[in-house]
Amino acid sequence: MSIIMPIVIGLIAVTLVSLIPEPQRRLVNAVLVAGAGAAYLSGGGLGYAEFILPIVMTYVAYRGLSSWTWIGIGWLLHTTWDVLHHLGDSPLLPFAPLSSFGCAICDPVIALWCFAGGPSVLGRLRDRLSRRAEDAPQV
């Protein structure tokens, strides 16, 4: 369950954010990845190294304003930070010991969607269903 739920959460997050029309969808995602860069600042589990990710993610988010690839890279960078915190026993949420582990599973789901260009999930589903209806034998 500790693997399935983060995947489901990632899929839900992608679906909800994909409801935002382009080009605002990419811009909102750039802001989200910038915010994710500061998620661990209050915990201080990595000491002064905690300042590295927000600095790097600010640059990545800036590049993400015009590139889905950079946003995907940002989520993978955050995944690396999640793993470091999980292994260092410094979870994202102090009251949830596996929160960094869950985040490390969820973030790549979002990154894969970003590498695909951040498409509308419901739009793709709608297109796929309409193609099936067109390909169905007519009676």
Side-chain angles (χ1 to χ4, degrees):
M1 192 63 158
S2 61
I3 293 175
I4 303 280
M5 279 312 294
I7 292 172
V8 169
I9 291 168
L11 293 172
I12 291 170
V14 161
T15 301
L16 290 175
V17 174
S18 80
L19 295 173
I20 301 169
E22 278 290 4
Q24 291 83 9
R25 181 182 314 140
R26 190 183 62 249
L27 302 178
V28 167
N29 276 277
V31 170
L32 290 173
V33 86
Y40 285 104
L41 274 179
S42 66
L46 299 180
Y48 288 111
E50 290 293 0
F51 292 108
I52 294 170
L53 188 65
I55 293 167
V56 171
M57 292 289 264
T58 299
Y59 173 76
V60 169
Y62 174 74
R63 295 295 303 267
L65 290 171
S66 59
S67 168
W68 279 105
T69 300
W70 279 98
I71 297 169
I73 290 168
W75 286 115
L76 293 181
L77 287 170
H78 194 265
T79 300
T80 302
W81 224 245
D82 294 327
V83 170
L84 290 173
H85 276 268
H86 177 69
L87 295 176
D89 199 28
S90 178
L92 176 61
L93 304 171
F95 57 86
L98 293 178
S99 58
S100 291
F101 175 78
C103 204
I105 302 295
C106 179
D107 289 352
V109 172
I110 300 169
L112 287 173
W113 174 72
C114 292
F115 289 135
S120 169
V121 173
L122 298 179
R124 288 262 175 111
L125 183 61
R126 201 173 19 251
D127 291 346
R128 188 169 282 174
L129 291 175
S130 68
R131 276 190 298 233
R132 279 193 181 165
E134 291 170 2
D135 294 341
Q138 301 298 319
V139 180

